[in-house]
Amino acid sequence: DWMEVPSMSDIANRVSDAEAEVLKVLWASHTPMTERQITDALRDESDWSPTTMKTLLKRLYDKGAVRREKRDVFYYTPALSQADFAKGRTVDLLNKVFGGNAKSLVSTMLSQDILSEGDIDELKKYWHERGKKE
């Protein structure tokens, strides 16, 4: 029975906000983490019970966003990179809110003062460097 494999963008857009909090901990860790270690790392931001954490990790695993390895307990690592997550969410925002028009997104960010002068200067440098490469 053939099934289409979801792209990283598809996976990114199926991750809930709560699941994204778990991924942030895993991205920051750089080493496999247990359920308890993840719960402890999120203690200041959330009061999730062990049952809630177990559910979030199962969902992330089922979606293909994390890998797990059974040792004495499961150890989790991200299968979805932070860059792929950001790209998937950004493309989704661009399509849903701005009809795929990147100029509209940027002009909104500029007109609403979402970008600081420092951000704009960094983007100018980025644009200039990118132009040199092509």
Side-chain angles (χ1 to χ4, degrees), residues 6-47:
S7 71
M8 285 298 162
S9 287
D10 292 338
I11 292 170
N13 289 316
R14 291 200 311 249
V15 170
S16 72
D17 291 346
E19 293 163 352
E21 292 304 311
V22 173
L23 282 171
K24 287 177 191 172
V25 169
L26 290 171
W27 290 325
S29 170
H30 305 293
T31 59
M33 294 181 78
T34 66
E35 193 176 299
R36 169 163 222 122
Q37 289 170 321
I38 298 165
T39 303
D40 289 347
L42 285 167
R43 190 168 313 274
D44 292 341
E45 290 97 53
S46 73
D47 55 356

Side-chain angles (χ1 to χ4, degrees), residues 1-2 6 9 11 15-16 22 25 29 38 50 53 57 64 68-69 74 81 86 93-94 111 114 117-118:
D1 197 357
W2 183 83
S9 287
I11 292 170
V15 170
S16 72
V22 173
V25 169
S29 170
I38 298 165
M53 182 56 67
L57 286 166
R68 66 185 186 192
E69 178 189 338
F74 281 119
S81 72
L93 169 75
L94 187 63
S111 68
I114 294 169
E117 289 299 321

Side-chain angles (χ1 to χ4, degrees), residues 52-64:
T52 300
M53 182 56 67
K54 192 178 294 302
T55 300
L56 291 170
L57 286 166
K58 170 122 177 51
R59 287 182 186 161
L60 283 165
Y61 177 76
D62 289 345
K63 290 173 183 178

